[in-house]
Structures are given as structure tokens and as C-alpha cells.
Amino acid sequence: MSAQIEVQIHPTLSDISASDWDACACPEAVNGARPFDPFTTYRFLKALEDSGSVGGTSGWHGRYLTVHKNGQMIAASPLYVKSHSQGEYIFDFNWAQAFENAGGNYYPKLQMAVPFTPATGRRFLTLPGFEAEGRSALLQGAVQLAAENKLSSLHITFCTEAEAETGAQMGLLRRVSQQFHWLNTGYSDFDAFLASLAARKRKNIRRERATAQGFGGTIIQLSGDEIQPDHWNAFWQFYQDTGARKWGTPYLTRAFFDIAQETLRDDILLVLALADGRPIAGALNMIGAETLYGRYWGCIEDHPALHFELCYYQAIDFAIEHGLKRVEAGAQGEHKLARGYLPVQTHSLHWIADEGFNHAVSQFLDAEAKAVGREIEVLTEYGPFKTIPQV
């Protein structure tokens, strides 16, 4: 008897078993082990949904895909119908404008991604042993959903390089972008990292850390049960300030942080600067099995270099202490280069229904990829290291 493959669409994660989802998203996370990617876990995506950060009027509407073989769930993807391009960090605003200037409707579109999260991870979540058929079914299902509903496009953002290669082989457009990551080559401590830098860069970082740490208070790192509900009251103030300046309206709701306290605190590193015991600045990181992911920063007082200390240097300290392979510091920011973070490629896939527009975007992406490659070469060459680190 031939195997029966079925793709299902779910408007809410509540329709999917947490254990079934995580068996595909993080099969390595057993017996208390950390997932490689904390963002595709059921608990993280459910926190976004239950807090109202997605759904409602957010412009992110769930169409989670699951693949079943003979009744067993073998694959899943976080998929959303989007009515805008906010919170994605792989920018297609110009594509939307060009398409609509030509008389088309760019929105709604489909987005396979973790909302508000510019971090590389698997987008085709498959049960071990079902990688090829699960990935194929998810991709075909997402394209079919877009085509049948006459949506302009499907975008699979911050996927892995292997997924990008597979998607390109299946006819999707491949896009290359850039971020800055810190790589751990086995440093014993922060001084060992500094020793790998050119003398002038090493001196600048030492000076910057001294300036930041001399702000008149203390800096603490909190994770798990060390994080208390009152810490989120402070961090919400920081997040609102940064969100209002960057995006106009913060993406996450206040309820997200309450849920994070209940279900995500073991996945979180919260770095706080305290003045007279009162938090005045903070950085939120997510902890993976091999990577620390810098996510949000904010403050209610401005102090020289404190942003760099809380977001970059404290993250490096934590990664070295816990044997993590890298720190991903989020989207953009060439200022990270001088602080030991090197440019790396990130990847996305795009399916566009209109043949003519698909061709135009394809030409643009070819030129963009060459430009990104050249920029990475130049930035790496002018980086702070004596010898480029390899992990």
C-alpha cells in the first residue's frame, strides 16, 4: 500500500499538538537539552500568538502548515498571511511599490518566518528521517496555498543555506543578505578573544568597556528563575522606547513578556544595568544550544558605550563562559565590526506568481548577491582580527 501524504493548514497553533510540533522543530531538545533554535519551538510561537503579538490587527495571520504521512505528523512550518512587510528584516518594500505601481496587488502575501525575528534557522521543520519528503511537501503546499488564493508571492526568510539551495533547485528565487555574527574559536575568556584582535582594536574595546562599566551602577546577567516578574516591568519600558523609535509601534505586546516569564525564561538571558538597584537599561537575548541570539535593547537613561557593553560584550562573555559557538547580534549594524562581529551571509527564498515580475526580481537578486559578496569580502578584510576566525 502506498504512503499517504497530506498537508494541513491551521489558523492557530492550538490546533497542533506541542509535542508533535517540537518533535519536528527541535528533536534534539530531549531530557532537558536546549533546542538549536529557540524561536521555532512551540512555546515561543505560541507566546506570540497567545499574547496577541500576531493575529488580530497585527497583519500577521497564522496559516501553519503540517505534513502527515499515514496519519503521523512528519513536518511543519510557521507560515503567515501578511498585509504589510513590517517585522521581517528582509526588505521587499521596493518590490511592493514597483508591483503596485504597475497595477498589481502585492498584499496579501505569504511569509514563512518567525515574526519579528531576524535569526537564521530551519523553516522546513521535519521529523528526523523525513527531511526530503517533508521539505518537499511543505514547499509545494505553501506555493499551492499562495497560487490558489491568488496571492502575489511567498517569502521564506532567514532559512538555512541548505534550505536555500534546495528551494533554488525547486525553482524559487534565492536571495543573499548580510548580518554580523561573533564566532567563538575556543576562547578561554574575554582577554583571549581580545588577544586575537589587532592592538588598536583591542585597546578601543578595553576603553569602551571601562567607560560603559563606569556608568555608576552595576551590570547583571539573569536567566531562568533568576528573572522575576518585576524585571519585565522595567524591560517593557526599555522595549517601548526602542520600538517607538525604530518601528513606530512596538511589535510585541506587554502580554508577551508575561507569557515569557511563565514559559520562556529558561531560554532567555536578560542583561540589566542597575543604578541604585533600579534597572535603567537592558538587553534581551535568546539562548540556543550553540548560539546566543541578541534580540532587544532599550534604556531610560543614556550612558556612553552602555549599549555596546550590554548588547555585544556581555553577550560574548556569556557565550565564552557557556561554550556557545556564536553570537548572532540581529539585523544590520556595521558598527558591530569594530567590536569583533564579522559579516556573514543570510538566506531567503521567494516565489512570485507574476512571471514578468518574477523575472525582474530574479535579475535584481543576481546583482544584489554579487554586491553583498563583495561587501562581505571588503568588511572581513578590514575587520579587527589579526587572522580571520574559523569555527
Side-chain angles (χ1 to χ4, degrees):
M1 183 173 119
S2 61
Q4 296 296 311
I5 299 289
E6 179 187 11
V7 179
Q8 297 180 4
I9 304 167
H10 309 268
T12 172
L13 279 169
S14 297
D15 294 341
I16 307 169
S17 158
S19 59
D20 284 347
W21 181 279
D22 283 344
C24 297
C26 51
E28 71 283 353
V30 294
N31 299 323
R34 288 195 184 278
F36 288 117
D37 182 356
F39 301 110
T40 53
T41 60
Y42 189 91
R43 58 185 176 269
F44 184 86
L45 295 170
K46 194 68 161 54
L48 292 177
E49 187 176 292
D50 289 348
S51 67
S53 300
V54 301
T57 61
S58 69
W60 293 79
H61 300 285
R63 295 295 186 272
Y64 307 96
L65 293 185
T66 57
V67 177
H68 304 260
K69 182 176 183 179
N70 294 333
Q72 179 187 21
M73 183 171 145
I74 65 167
S77 280
L79 185 67
Y80 301 85
V81 176
K82 292 292 306 295
S83 58
H84 53 67
S85 291
Q86 301 293 332
E88 297 169 9
Y89 302 95
I90 297 294
F91 302 116
D92 63 349
F93 298 107
N94 290 338
W95 301 4
Q97 184 178 26
F99 194 68
E100 295 189 352
N101 286 345
N105 293 316
Y106 193 74
Y107 305 107
K109 62 176 184 174
L110 278 182
Q111 194 83 18
M112 189 180 290
V114 177
F116 328 122
T117 306
T120 293
R122 289 187 303 134
R123 297 297 172 254
F124 304 108
L125 313 174
T126 57
L127 204 63
F130 296 91
E131 289 82 2
E133 56 191 322
R135 187 164 47 221
S136 177
L138 288 167
L139 183 52
Q140 292 180 54
V143 169
Q144 183 177 343
L145 178 63
E148 289 181 350
N149 289 275
K150 296 182 169 51
L151 304 183
S152 71
S153 51
L154 162 70
H155 308 268
I156 304 168
T157 45
F158 292 100
C159 61
T160 66
E161 184 175 5
E163 289 175 329
E165 291 173 354
T166 298
Q169 292 169 4
M170 296 178 70
L172 275 72
L173 302 180
R174 181 177 180 179
R175 189 174 192 182
V176 176
S177 304
Q178 173 192 300
Q179 282 186 342
F180 290 86
H181 297 174
W182 178 83
L183 307 178
N184 187 358
T185 60
Y187 301 118
S188 58
D189 53 27
F190 197 90
D191 282 340
F193 157 62
L194 288 179
S196 70
L197 305 180
R200 184 169 60 87
K201 298 296 185 181
R202 183 166 61 243
K203 183 177 180 181
N204 287 343
I205 289 176
R206 283 189 173 130
R207 183 189 304 116
E208 200 163 64
R209 292 205 80 176
T211 297
Q213 294 174 2
F215 78 98
T218 58
I219 296 172
I220 60 173
Q221 295 184 357
L222 305 171
S223 187
D225 291 340
E226 296 170 334
I227 303 174
Q228 296 298 310
D230 283 349
H231 293 131
W232 296 117
N233 292 330
F235 193 81
W236 174 244
Q237 289 183 277
F238 310 152
Y239 176 70
Q240 278 187 301
D241 176 69
T242 302
R245 285 186 285 106
K246 280 191 173 183
W247 316 303
T249 302
Y251 292 139
L252 301 176
T253 65
R254 177 63 180 85
F256 174 85
F257 297 100
D258 290 332
I259 296 172
Q261 174 66 18
E262 295 301 317
T263 65
L264 297 173
R265 64 181 183 270
D266 288 340
D267 301 317
I268 289 173
L269 170 67
L270 194 60
V271 182
L272 296 176
L274 309 179
D276 297 323
R278 178 178 61 94
I280 55 94
L284 187 154
N285 306 264
M286 296 292 290
I287 310 168
E290 296 182 344
T291 306
L292 184 68
Y293 300 90
R295 291 303 301 116
Y296 301 109
W297 141 270
C299 64
I300 56 173
E301 292 183 11
D302 290 322
H303 294 275
L306 194 59
H307 168 252
F308 304 134
E309 174 65 25
L310 266 58
C311 293
Y312 307 140
Y313 303 138
Q314 289 286 321
I316 291 173
D317 279 337
F318 184 89
I320 292 173
E321 181 181 353
H322 292 85
L324 302 181
K325 291 183 177 180
R326 67 178 60 223
V327 178
E328 292 194 17
Q332 303 173 306
E334 291 186 5
H335 61 278
K336 297 167 186 171
L337 186 69
R339 291 160 183 92
Y341 291 71
L342 289 174
V344 298
Q345 287 187 347
T346 58
H347 305 274
S348 60
L349 291 165
H350 307 270
W351 174 88
I352 297 173
D354 184 272
E355 186 175 340
F357 194 59
N358 184 79
H359 179 67
V361 170
S362 177
Q363 290 183 312
F364 166 78
L365 293 181
D366 286 343
E368 183 185 50
K370 293 175 183 175
V372 169
R374 288 193 297 269
E375 184 175 11
I376 287 177
E377 287 180 5
V378 170
L379 289 174
T380 301
E381 182 179 348
Y382 284 93
F385 292 91
K386 300 173 187 174
T387 303
I388 305 302
Q390 302 291 329
V391 175

